């Protein structure tokens, strides 16, 4: 399949997660995960709602205790009461087989179960406990994500593979063996799930690591060997710019190769920081690559000696924040507005040109330039703004542009099919 950006997409079997399709011809899906105590139903529901409002299409919650399992149906109920229909994924480790069987209401309220082959069970109990979780998923008609993680890889499997490697005439590098163990763990677990009765169109795989090159290598090989839907994520990506850059570097390469059906940017938030930042970064990664459109993005220059004033920086930040605030309402009544392009530029060198390339743009005066700001609409000069009220005047022009271009009447008049936006 060729994406709208022109990339060859790795063909995978589509999986239905609630109302969301993952894989197949569906767009790459944005996921996130709460960091609240799931036993706190109200607090968790509020964070899920915030993540969904920010654009997370699937939200994962930890289900690690009996109290957490008891609260899952309440969380689903609270979300439904507010009209938030985002699918919930239960993240299970060690005791998932017990919680899913003991609390059937929890099993039913979740849209998908995440199973970690590395800690679903140990020794002789492993296969039985894995089978129990698959059987519950079958009974409830739920999909599963078999999620292998570098930090919790099955110790018996890695020991076996390391021993076999050591016996070779020319042993491979230990890191290479570990990468292979991740892939083997995921594929063998998926095969076991199918043997139990789980159909391919209810299985998603992931093999998460924290190193960029390892992630690229593992998923490139995993995609070569299977057609299961794949969830991408650089686990423990880190804080701030490091986490964003590492996630974008790793997943950007894979997405460019057409690999990945759903993604999560696993950022470590600042203490008390906004959890929704990981959603924004994931959306911007997909949008800047041309794979999806979520919200109009603002093109803005980095600034130089010509732009010693901070006016253009403040306006760019103000406009981007304004657009994100308006998007929930705009999306409902202005189909296609998410693909609109804006430019807020800081001087005469590239300002007018970038503004002309955007659907709507403004070129603010740089140091020593005349105190005027030409506004361009659809490549043509529209007006010139001056004075201390430029920001509000530009927002008014932006609102008018959105209304005139993206309303149902405007689209009908131009011959565009609003339903296809």
């Amino acid at each position: 399949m060729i994406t709208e950006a022109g990339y060859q997409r790795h063909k995978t079997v589509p999986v239905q997660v609630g109302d969301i399709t993952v894989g197949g011809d569906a767009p790459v899906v944005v996921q996130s995960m709460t960091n609240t105590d799931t036993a706190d139903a109200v607090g968790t529901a509020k964070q899920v709602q915030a993540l969904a409002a920010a654009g997370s299409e699937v939200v994962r919650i930890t289900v690690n205790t009996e109290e957490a399992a008891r609260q899952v149906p309440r969380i689903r109920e609270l979300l439904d009461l507010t009209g938030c229909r985002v699918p919930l994924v239960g993240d299970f480790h060690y005791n998932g087989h017990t919680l899913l069987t003991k609390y059937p209401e929890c099993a039913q309220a979740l849209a998908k179960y995440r199973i970690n082959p590395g800690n679903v069970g140990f020794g002789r109990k492993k296969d039985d406990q894995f089978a129990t979780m698959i059987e519950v998923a079958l009974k409830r008609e739920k999909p599963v994500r078999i999620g292998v993680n570098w930090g919790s890889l099955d110790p018996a499997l890695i020991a076996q593979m390391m021993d076999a490697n050591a016996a070779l005439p020319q042993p491979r590098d230990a890191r290479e063996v570990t990468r292979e163990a991740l892939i083997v763990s995921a594929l063998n677990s998926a095969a076991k799930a199918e043997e139990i009765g789980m159909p391919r169109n209810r299985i998603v795989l992931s093999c998460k690591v924290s190193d960029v090159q390892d992630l690229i290598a593992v998923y490139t090989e995993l995609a070569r060997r299977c057609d299961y839907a794949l969830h991408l994520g650089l686990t423990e990506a880190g804080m701030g710019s490091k986490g964003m850059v590492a996630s974008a570097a790793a997943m950007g390469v894979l997405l460019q190769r057409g690999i990945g059906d759903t993604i999560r940017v696993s950022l470590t938030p600042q203490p008390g920081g906004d959890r929704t930042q990981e959603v924004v970064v994931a959306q911007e990664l997909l949008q800047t690559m041309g794979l999806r459109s979520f919200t109009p993005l603002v093109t803005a220059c980095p600034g130089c000696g010509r732009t010693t004033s901070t006016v253009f920086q403040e306006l760019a930040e103000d406009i981007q924040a304004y657009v994100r605030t308006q998007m929930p309402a705009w999306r409902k009544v202005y189909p296609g507005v998410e693909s609109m392009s804006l430019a807020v530029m800081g001087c005469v060198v590239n300002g007018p040109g970038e503004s002309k390339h955007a659907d709507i743009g403004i070129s603010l005066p740089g140091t020593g330039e005349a105190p005027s700001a030409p506004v361009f609409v659809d490549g043509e000069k529209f007006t010139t703004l001056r004075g201390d009220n430029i920001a509000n005047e530009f927002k008014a022009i932006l609102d008018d542009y959105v209304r005139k271009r993206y309303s149902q009447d405007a689209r009908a008049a131009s011959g565009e099919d609003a339903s296809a936006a």
Side-chain angles (χ1 to χ4, degrees):
M1 181 188 69
I2 305 296
T3 69
E4 62 184 83
Y7 307 144
Q8 183 70 42
R9 182 88 174 268
H10 172 61
K11 186 67 174 178
T12 58
V13 177
V15 178
Q16 200 67 27
V17 182
D19 295 332
I20 301 295
T21 302
V22 173
D25 293 329
V28 180
V29 171
V30 172
Q31 289 195 32
S32 60
M33 185 176 183
T34 60
N35 62 354
T36 55
D37 182 354
T38 308
D40 175 9
V42 173
T44 300
K46 285 182 178 179
Q47 190 174 83
V48 170
Q49 191 172 18
L51 291 166
S56 183
E57 294 158 302
V58 175
V59 177
R60 185 158 45 111
I61 61 176
T62 296
V63 187
N64 58 333
T65 65
E66 295 199 14
E67 185 55 31
R70 277 193 289 264
Q71 293 303 320
V72 169
R74 176 62 175 158
I75 294 167
R76 181 71 270 169
E77 179 185 9
L78 290 170
L79 293 170
D80 291 343
L81 287 172
T82 64
C84 180
R85 298 297 304 161
V86 66
L88 293 177
V89 177
D91 194 58
F92 294 97
H93 299 274
Y94 304 106
N95 59 354
H97 60 292
T98 299
L99 297 178
L100 284 172
T101 52
K102 188 173 182 179
Y103 297 97
E105 296 86 357
C106 168
Q108 186 58 38
L110 294 168
K112 185 174 72 172
Y113 312 149
R114 185 275 175 101
I115 304 173
N116 185 342
N119 57 35
V120 70
F122 301 98
R124 287 176 295 179
K125 294 182 178 180
K126 177 183 176 181
D127 289 346
D128 289 343
Q129 291 174 184
F130 178 82
T132 296
M133 296 187 73
I134 296 298
E135 287 163 0
V136 172
L138 285 168
K139 179 180 179 181
R140 302 286 172 182
E141 298 185 336
K142 308 290 184 178
V144 297
R145 170 156 74 92
I146 296 173
V148 185
N149 195 294
W150 183 276
S152 54
L153 191 56
D154 181 356
L157 175 65
I158 188 65
Q160 175 188 345
M161 293 185 66
M162 286 292 184
D163 288 345
N165 181 64
L168 295 174
Q170 294 182 321
R172 294 182 292 172
D173 179 79
R175 199 176 193 91
E176 186 180 348
V177 177
T178 304
R179 289 175 178 173
E180 177 65 13
L182 286 162
I183 297 168
V184 169
S185 178
L187 293 178
N188 285 356
S189 298
K192 288 178 184 176
E194 288 198 61
E195 289 173 9
I196 296 167
M198 181 64 69
R200 265 178 121 68
N201 65 355
R202 288 194 206 155
I203 298 174
V204 178
L205 296 187
S206 67
C207 289
K208 290 191 173 184
V209 300
S210 56
D211 180 86
V212 170
Q213 296 298 339
D214 286 324
L215 194 81
I216 294 170
V218 167
Y219 272 91
T220 299
E221 181 62 17
L222 183 62
R224 188 185 71 81
R225 295 194 205 177
C226 76
D227 61 356
Y228 294 109
L230 300 179
H231 169 70
L232 299 187
L234 191 72
T235 190
E236 291 93 38
M239 299 180 70
S241 59
K242 185 269 180 183
M244 296 179 200
V245 170
S247 294
M251 290 191 284
V253 171
L254 291 167
L255 290 167
Q256 181 73 15
R257 294 176 179 175
I259 298 170
D261 300 294
T262 171
I263 68 170
R264 182 195 173 201
V265 176
S266 301
L267 295 180
T268 303
Q270 296 288 343
D274 190 349
R275 188 67 167 180
T276 62
Q277 185 183 33
E278 68 176 50
V279 179
V280 174
V281 174
Q283 289 182 327
E284 290 180 349
L285 171 59
L286 293 175
Q287 187 155 348
T288 54
M289 291 188 69
L291 297 175
R292 291 190 66 182
S293 294
F294 297 95
T295 188
L297 298 180
V298 175
T299 297
C301 64
C304 66
R306 290 176 174 270
T307 55
T308 54
S309 168
T310 61
V311 174
F312 85 94
Q313 298 165 327
E314 293 163 356
L315 182 59
E317 184 177 27
D318 188 9
I319 294 302
Q320 185 71 79
Y322 179 73
V323 167
R324 285 197 174 277
T325 301
Q326 296 295 106
M327 272 307 293
W330 281 356
R331 191 178 287 111
K332 293 178 182 178
V333 294
Y334 300 126
V337 69
E338 63 274 4
S339 62
M340 178 177 64
S341 60
L342 298 97
V344 177
M345 302 298 294
C347 82
V348 74
V349 174
N350 292 318
E354 286 285 0
S355 296
K356 289 178 182 178
H357 289 311
D359 291 321
I360 179 170
I362 184 171
S363 180
L364 294 168
T367 305
E369 295 177 13
S372 61
V375 175
F376 297 84
V377 173
D378 291 332
E380 302 293 334
K381 185 175 178 181
F382 178 75
T383 189
T384 299
L385 302 180
R386 296 180 176 84
D388 298 328
N389 199 34
I390 286 178
N392 289 331
E393 290 177 9
F394 185 67
K395 288 178 187 176
I397 294 171
L398 175 59
D399 286 337
D400 186 61
Y401 180 81
V402 169
R403 183 171 57 255
K404 288 181 177 178
R405 176 166 178 183
Y406 295 101
S407 68
Q408 296 284 359
D409 290 343
R411 295 177 68 82
S414 66
E416 294 183 52
D417 181 6
S419 66

